[in-house]
């Protein structure tokens, strides 16, 4: 693993300007914007189904999956032709999803019926459902692939699901309206953002206990405007970035101390984010200002803003 | 192999404790009045289960969470008929339920609150918007999820002032609650710098709200009633009694918008509200009740969710513990309004954004931008701590 990482690093260093392709779901326009990270421009706008939100590349980089909630399905975009080629049998109103390391199984949170749907990605068939709390949303899989995490917005819990038995093994109560879950790459901590609670809970995934909380305070801004949603963590597990919604900022958090070191002003109502694979840049979707902010990760500075479709929500970058 | 076995045992133990055999049962009562009032608009006619339908959905939501916490919620509904004693019904409900959601007139609610005080039952006022229940007549065992008239009036007034429609023609109905709403609107105008250019009273002369002769007369009456008014920007109607308000839009002598009890209306909730994840909740509600969700449904939903929130945080079904937590500084509840809702500790009123709706869409949500407050912008709606006459007991 380490060797692969090193090799990849060398290869990147050798290539002078490495362009990546980012896909952004625009919740209101019913489109996906394709961004070229070399020119930082939108190169294509793809028409998709209604209310696209969760978006992710397949592990092989060949397809982009986008949850189109109001059409009750997940559409599959061919990354080569940049056109919708297929759809997956999710449950009603899919919002966010997670895939296993091999890219074979997809787990989908269906907000409307309190279930997580399990899909075989190769056969593109539905394998089953797991009953969870009210309004399932955040989805992630532990780095070892053994545990699936689902957060439910009205139940206010992170559900720990054994991926082999597909049974819930633990439920951890977090602050109100949990939206997003992210593991540290070394599996030692699970971070869960609570939009209405205004915090990020740090959970010990072995003991299933909240062991700490990241809190936010921005002078001149009322507490209610701070609504954490998306979380991004650097591969060295040293720095986390947390999108604060209507606070229009990304918090830079020192993972070890769980303290905010800096707030970066981005567009309005920032939802989600994705790193470029070389981790030089972090792209955030800003729902209300209809744009994507580009953050220079090392410098911790916003360097660019790119106009996309209406109400951008999710983002994924080609591996 | 051994490790696998140990793992299995560990897992089954965890599973057993997580899904305890005997869940704690938490009883919630719902006390309302039988029968429904008549509205001018047929589409606004409340359903027989108005309110309790929201409580029912929240019970389902709480029970989904309860599966993981070992808590089970039950709902027992009681409707009192004309002349029936509210206290007797409430006492009967309290025998089996530690929490009671009420949709009662102010006087009946106060009698019930005082009768159940010693017992420790926690009441949630989901229906009455009367100011006095949070002011001079406030009670330590009554939490209010319904907004107050002043909160509703302020929410509307902030928007009208933001819109620069600051000259109001106030038309008031002849019933007591109409006059109370007019009082609230006058207070709002003074607070936010609007001017009431003239007041008119619309007398209720009785009669049916629906007739076969239809709207012919109304079309003639309303322009005449509103003519010769001083220059104004918006007609503000105070007609909680549903006598004339809904007849005003498009029929005023001068072409002016209508707000208040008709036109642009301030409400705690609306069937068209779909922001902040509300669409899931609206869908769940329609699926369960085969109709759309009203403000009263939402106020009852919020009350039952507050109970569920507190029982899951305290891991307890004990009424005393839950009550302390709800009244404590760490309590908040999410209710699809884009912000956490908390209690005003001085009178137990739930702080909440108010929607301004036109019957089809949410036009705006108050508090409006620029109305600042040192504690919470939600406290720019209604009576604030320094003005409060409430002494909780």
């Amino acid at each position: 693993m380490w060797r692969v990482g090193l090799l990849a690093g060398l290869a990147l260093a050798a290539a002078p300007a490495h362009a990546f392709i980012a896909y952004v779901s625009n919740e209101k326009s019913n489109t996906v914007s394709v961004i070229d990270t070399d020119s930082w421009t939108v190169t294509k706008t793809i028409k998709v189904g209604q209310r696209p939100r969760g978006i992710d590349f397949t592990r092989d980089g060949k397809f982009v999956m986008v949850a189109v909630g109001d059409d009750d399905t997940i559409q599959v975009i061919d990354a080569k032709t940049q056109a919708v080629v297929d759809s997956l049998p999710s449950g009603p109103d899919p919002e966010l999803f997670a895939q296993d390391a091999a890219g074979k199984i997809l787990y989908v949170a269906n907000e409307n019926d309190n279930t997580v749907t399990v899909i075989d990605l190769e056969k593109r068939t539905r394998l089953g459902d797991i009953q969870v709390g009210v309004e399932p949303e955040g989805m992630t899989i532990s780095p070892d692939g053994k545990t699936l995490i689902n957060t439910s917005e009205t139940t206010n819990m992170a559900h720990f699901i054994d991926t082999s038995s597909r049974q819930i093994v633990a439920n951890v109560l977090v602050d109100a309206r949990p939206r997003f879950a992210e593991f540290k790459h070394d599996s030692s901590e699970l971070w869960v953002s609570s939009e209405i609670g205004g915090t990020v809970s740090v959970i010990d995934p072995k003991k299933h206990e909240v062991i700490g909380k990241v809190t936010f305070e921005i002078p001149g801004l009322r507490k209610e405007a701070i609504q954490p949603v998306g979380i991004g963590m650097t591969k060295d597990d040293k720095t986390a970035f947390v999108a604060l919604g209507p606070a229009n900022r990304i918090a830079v958090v020192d993972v070890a101390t769980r303290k905010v070191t800096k707030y970066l002003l981005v567009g309005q109502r920032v939802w989600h984010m994705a790193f470029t694979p070389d981790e030089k840049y972090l792209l955030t979707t800003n729902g209300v200002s209809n744009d994507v902010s580009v953050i220079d990760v090392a410098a911790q500075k916003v360097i660019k803003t790119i106009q996309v479709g209406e109400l951008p929500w999710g983002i994924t970058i080609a591996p | 192999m051994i490790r696998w076995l140990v793992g299995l045992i560990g897992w089954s133990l965890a599973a057993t404790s997580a899904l305890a055999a005997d869940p704690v049962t938490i009883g919630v009562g719902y006390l309302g009045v039988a029968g429904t009032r008549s509205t001018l608009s047929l589409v606004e006619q409340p359903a027989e289960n108005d309110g309790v339908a929201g409580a029912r959905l929240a019970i389902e939501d709480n029970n989904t969470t309860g599966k993981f916490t070992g808590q089970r919620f039950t709902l027992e509904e009681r409707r009192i008929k004309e002349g029936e004693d509210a206290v007797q019904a409430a006492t009967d409900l309290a025998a089996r339920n530690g929490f009671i959601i009420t949709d009662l007139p102010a006087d009946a609610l106060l009698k019930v609150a005082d009768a159940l005080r010693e017992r420790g039952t926690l009441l949630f006022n989901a229906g009455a918007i009367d100011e006095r229940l949070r002011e001079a007549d406030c009670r330590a065992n009554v939490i209010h999820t319904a907004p107050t008239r002043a909160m509703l009036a302020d929410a509307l007034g902030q928007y009208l002032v933001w819109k620069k429609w600051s000259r109001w023609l106030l038309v008031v109905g002849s019933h007591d609650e109409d006059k109370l709403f007019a009082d609230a609107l006058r207070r709002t105008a003074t607070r936010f710098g609007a001017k009431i250019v003239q007041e008119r009273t619309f007398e209720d002369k009785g009669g049916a709200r629906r007739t076969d002769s239809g709207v012919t007369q109304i079309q003639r009456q309303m322009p005449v009633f509103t003519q010769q008014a001083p220059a104004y920007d918006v007609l503000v109607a105070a007609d909680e009694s549903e006598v004339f308000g809904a007849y005003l839009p498009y029929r005023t002598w001068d072409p002016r918008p209508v707000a208040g009890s008709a036109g642009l209306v301030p409400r705690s909730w609306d069937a068209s509200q779909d922001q902040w994840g509300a669409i899931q909740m609206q869908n769940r509600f329609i699926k369960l009740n085969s109709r759309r969700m009203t403000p009263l449904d939402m106020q009852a939903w919020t009350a039952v969710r507050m109970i569920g929130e507190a029982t899951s945080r305290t891991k307890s079904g004990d009424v005393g513990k839950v009550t302390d937590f709800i009244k404590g500084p760490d309590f908040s509840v999410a209710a699809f309004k884009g912000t956490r809702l908390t209690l005003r500790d001085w009178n137990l009123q739930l702080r909440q954004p108010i929607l301004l709706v036109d019957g089809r869409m949410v036009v705006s949500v108050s508090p409006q931008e620029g109305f600042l407050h040192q504690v919470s912008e939600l406290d720019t709606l209604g009576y604030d701590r320094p003005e409060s006459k409430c002494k909780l007991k």
Side-chain angles (χ1 to χ4, degrees), chain A residues 225-267:
Chain A
I226 299 174
Q227 302 187 349
V229 184
I231 305 171
M233 220 175 277
T234 55
K235 280 176 202 144
D236 62 9
D237 282 335
K238 283 193 174 145
T239 313
F241 295 84
V242 182
L244 298 181
N248 308 337
R249 282 164 180 84
I250 295 278
V252 185
V253 184
D254 177 54
V255 173
T257 60
R258 294 170 197 147
K259 293 264 183 281
V260 179
T261 57
K262 205 172 176 182
Y263 291 100
L264 306 174
L265 197 61
V266 290

Coordinates of all heavy atoms in Angstrom, one line a residue, chain A residues 225-267:
Chain A
A225 N -26.1 29.8 12.2 CA -25.7 29.8 10.8 C -24.5 28.7 10.6 O -24.2 28.5 9.4 CB -25.2 31.1 10.4
I226 N -24.0 28.2 11.6 CA -22.9 27.2 11.5 C -23.5 25.8 11.4 O -24.0 25.3 12.4 CB -21.9 27.4 12.6 CG1 -21.3 28.8 12.6 CG2 -20.8 26.3 12.5 CD1 -20.4 29.1 13.7
Q227 N -23.5 25.3 10.2 CA -24.2 24.0 9.9 C -23.3 23.1 9.2 O -23.3 23.0 8.0 CB -25.5 24.2 9.2 CG -26.4 25.2 9.9 CD -27.8 25.3 9.2 OE1 -28.0 24.9 8.1 NE2 -28.7 26.0 9.9
P228 N -22.5 22.3 9.9 CA -21.5 21.4 9.3 C -22.1 20.3 8.5 O -23.1 19.7 8.9 CB -20.7 20.8 10.5 CG -21.1 21.5 11.7 CD -22.4 22.2 11.4
V229 N -21.6 20.1 7.3 CA -22.1 19.0 6.4 C -20.9 18.2 5.9 O -20.4 17.3 6.6 CB -22.9 19.6 5.2 CG1 -23.5 18.4 4.4 CG2 -24.1 20.4 5.7
G230 N -20.3 18.5 4.7 CA -19.2 17.7 4.2 C -17.9 17.7 5.0 O -17.6 18.7 5.6
I231 N -17.2 16.6 4.9 CA -15.9 16.5 5.6 C -14.9 15.9 4.7 O -15.2 15.0 3.9 CB -16.0 15.6 6.9 CG1 -17.1 16.0 7.8 CG2 -14.7 15.5 7.6 CD1 -17.4 15.0 9.0
G232 N -13.7 16.5 4.6 CA -12.6 15.9 3.8 C -11.4 15.8 4.7 O -11.1 16.7 5.4
M233 N -10.7 14.6 4.6 CA -9.6 14.5 5.5 C -8.3 14.1 4.6 O -8.5 13.3 3.7 CB -9.8 13.3 6.5 CG -9.3 13.7 7.8 SD -9.6 12.5 9.1 CE -11.2 12.9 9.6
T234 N -7.2 14.8 4.9 CA -6.0 14.5 4.1 C -5.6 13.1 4.3 O -5.8 12.5 5.4 CB -4.9 15.5 4.4 OG1 -4.7 15.4 5.8 CG2 -5.3 16.9 4.0
K235 N -4.8 12.5 3.4 CA -4.4 11.1 3.5 C -3.5 10.8 4.7 O -3.5 9.7 5.2 CB -3.7 10.6 2.2 CG -4.7 10.3 1.1 CD -4.0 10.0 -0.2 CE -4.9 10.2 -1.4 NZ -4.2 10.7 -2.5
D236 N -2.8 11.9 5.1 CA -1.9 11.7 6.3 C -2.7 11.8 7.6 O -2.1 11.7 8.7 CB -0.7 12.6 6.2 CG -1.2 14.1 6.3 OD1 -2.4 14.4 6.5 OD2 -0.3 15.0 6.0
D237 N -4.0 12.0 7.5 CA -4.9 12.1 8.7 C -4.5 13.3 9.6 O -4.9 13.3 10.7 CB -4.9 10.8 9.5 CG -5.7 9.7 8.9 OD1 -6.6 10.1 8.1 OD2 -5.4 8.5 9.1
K238 N -3.8 14.3 9.0 CA -3.4 15.4 9.9 C -4.4 16.6 9.8 O -4.6 17.2 10.8 CB -2.1 15.9 9.4 CG -0.9 15.0 9.9 CD 0.4 15.6 9.8 CE 1.5 14.7 10.4 NZ 2.7 14.8 9.7
T239 N -5.0 16.8 8.7 CA -5.9 17.9 8.5 C -7.3 17.5 8.0 O -7.4 16.7 7.1 CB -5.3 18.9 7.5 OG1 -3.9 19.1 7.9 CG2 -6.0 20.3 7.6
A240 N -8.3 18.1 8.6 CA -9.7 17.8 8.1 C -10.2 19.2 7.7 O -9.9 20.2 8.3 CB -10.5 17.2 9.2
F241 N -11.1 19.1 6.7 CA -11.8 20.3 6.2 C -13.3 20.0 6.4 O -13.8 18.9 6.0 CB -11.5 20.5 4.7 CG -10.0 20.9 4.4 CD1 -9.1 19.9 4.3 CD2 -9.6 22.2 4.3 CE1 -7.7 20.2 4.0 CE2 -8.3 22.5 4.1 CZ -7.4 21.5 3.9
V242 N -14.0 21.0 7.0 CA -15.4 20.8 7.3 C -16.2 21.9 6.6 O -15.9 23.1 6.9 CB -15.7 20.7 8.8 CG1 -17.1 20.5 9.0 CG2 -14.8 19.6 9.5
A243 N -17.1 21.5 5.8 CA -18.0 22.5 5.1 C -19.1 23.0 6.1 O -19.7 22.2 6.8 CB -18.7 22.0 3.9
L244 N -19.2 24.3 6.3 CA -20.1 24.9 7.3 C -21.4 25.4 6.8 O -22.0 26.3 7.4 CB -19.4 25.9 8.2 CG -18.1 25.3 9.0 CD1 -17.5 26.4 9.8 CD2 -18.5 24.2 9.9
G245 N -21.8 25.0 5.6 CA -23.1 25.4 5.1 C -23.3 26.9 5.0 O -22.5 27.6 4.4
P246 N -24.4 27.4 5.6 CA -24.7 28.9 5.4 C -23.7 29.8 6.1 O -23.9 31.0 6.0 CB -26.1 29.0 6.0 CG -26.4 27.8 6.8 CD -25.5 26.7 6.3
A247 N -22.7 29.2 6.8 CA -21.7 30.1 7.3 C -20.7 30.5 6.2 O -19.8 31.3 6.4 CB -20.9 29.4 8.5
N248 N -20.9 29.9 5.0 CA -20.1 30.2 3.8 C -18.6 30.0 4.1 O -17.8 30.7 3.5 CB -20.4 31.6 3.4 CG -21.8 31.9 3.2 OD1 -22.6 31.0 3.0 ND2 -22.2 33.2 3.3
R249 N -18.3 29.0 4.9 CA -16.9 28.8 5.2 C -16.5 27.3 5.3 O -17.4 26.5 5.6 CB -16.5 29.5 6.6 CG -16.3 30.9 6.5 CD -16.3 31.5 7.9 NE -16.1 33.0 7.9 CZ -17.1 33.9 7.6 NH1 -18.3 33.5 7.4 NH2 -16.8 35.2 7.7
I250 N -15.2 27.1 5.0 CA -14.7 25.7 5.3 C -13.8 25.9 6.5 O -12.9 26.8 6.5 CB -13.8 25.3 4.1 CG1 -14.7 25.1 2.8 CG2 -13.0 24.0 4.4 CD1 -15.4 23.8 2.7
A251 N -14.0 25.0 7.5 CA -13.1 25.1 8.7 C -12.0 24.1 8.4 O -12.2 23.0 7.9 CB -13.9 24.6 9.9
V252 N -10.8 24.6 8.7 CA -9.6 23.7 8.7 C -9.3 23.3 10.1 O -9.2 24.1 11.0 CB -8.4 24.5 8.1 CG1 -7.2 23.6 7.9 CG2 -8.7 25.2 6.8
V253 N -9.4 21.9 10.2 CA -9.3 21.4 11.6 C -8.0 20.5 11.8 O -7.7 19.7 10.9 CB -10.5 20.5 11.9 CG1 -10.5 20.0 13.4 CG2 -11.8 21.2 11.6
D254 N -7.3 20.8 12.8 CA -6.2 20.0 13.2 C -6.7 18.7 13.8 O -7.4 18.7 14.8 CB -5.3 20.7 14.2 CG -4.1 19.8 14.6 OD1 -3.4 19.3 13.7 OD2 -3.9 19.6 15.8
V255 N -6.5 17.5 13.1 CA -7.2 16.3 13.5 C -6.7 15.9 14.9 O -7.5 15.4 15.7 CB -6.9 15.2 12.4 CG1 -7.5 13.9 12.9 CG2 -7.6 15.6 11.1
A256 N -5.4 16.0 15.2 CA -4.9 15.5 16.5 C -5.6 16.3 17.7 O -6.0 15.6 18.6 CB -3.4 15.7 16.5
T257 N -5.7 17.6 17.6 CA -6.2 18.4 18.7 C -7.7 18.6 18.6 O -8.3 19.1 19.5 CB -5.5 19.7 18.8 OG1 -5.7 20.5 17.6 CG2 -4.0 19.6 19.0
R258 N -8.3 18.3 17.4 CA -9.7 18.6 17.1 C -10.0 20.1 17.2 O -11.2 20.4 17.6 CB -10.6 17.8 18.0 CG -10.5 16.3 17.7 CD -11.1 15.4 18.7 NE -10.7 14.1 18.6 CZ -10.5 13.2 19.6 NH1 -10.9 13.6 20.9 NH2 -10.1 12.0 19.5
K259 N -9.1 20.9 16.9 CA -9.3 22.4 17.0 C -9.3 23.0 15.6 O -8.5 22.5 14.8 CB -8.2 23.0 17.9 CG -8.3 22.6 19.3 CD -9.1 23.6 20.2 CE -9.1 23.3 21.6 NZ -10.1 22.3 22.0
V260 N -10.1 24.0 15.4 CA -10.1 24.7 14.2 C -8.9 25.6 14.1 O -8.7 26.4 15.1 CB -11.4 25.5 14.0 CG1 -11.4 26.3 12.7 CG2 -12.6 24.6 14.0
T261 N -8.1 25.5 13.0 CA -7.0 26.4 12.9 C -7.3 27.6 12.0 O -6.6 28.6 12.1 CB -5.7 25.7 12.4 OG1 -6.1 25.1 11.1 CG2 -5.3 24.6 13.4
K262 N -8.2 27.5 11.1 CA -8.5 28.5 10.2 C -9.9 28.4 9.6 O -10.4 27.2 9.5 CB -7.5 28.4 9.1 CG -7.2 29.7 8.3 CD -6.0 29.4 7.4 CE -5.7 30.7 6.5 NZ -4.7 30.5 5.6
Y263 N -10.5 29.5 9.2 CA -11.8 29.4 8.4 C -11.5 30.0 7.1 O -11.0 31.1 7.0 CB -12.9 30.2 9.1 CG -13.3 29.6 10.4 CD1 -12.9 30.0 11.7 CD2 -14.2 28.5 10.4 CE1 -13.3 29.4 12.9 CE2 -14.6 27.9 11.6 CZ -14.2 28.4 12.8 OH -14.6 27.8 14.0
L264 N -11.9 29.3 6.0 CA -11.7 29.8 4.7 C -13.0 30.2 4.1 O -14.0 29.4 4.1 CB -11.1 28.7 3.8 CG -9.8 28.0 4.3 CD1 -9.4 26.8 3.4 CD2 -8.7 29.0 4.3
L265 N -13.1 31.4 3.7 CA -14.4 32.0 3.1 C -14.5 31.4 1.7 O -13.6 31.6 0.8 CB -14.3 33.5 3.1 CG -15.6 34.2 2.9 CD1 -16.6 33.9 4.0 CD2 -15.4 35.7 2.8
V266 N -15.6 30.7 1.5 CA -15.9 30.1 0.1 C -17.2 30.7 -0.4 O -17.6 31.8 0.1 CB -15.9 28.6 0.1 CG1 -14.5 28.0 0.4 CG2 -16.9 28.0 1.2
G267 N -17.9 30.0 -1.3 CA -19.2 30.6 -1.8 C -20.3 30.3 -0.7 O -20.0 29.9 0.4

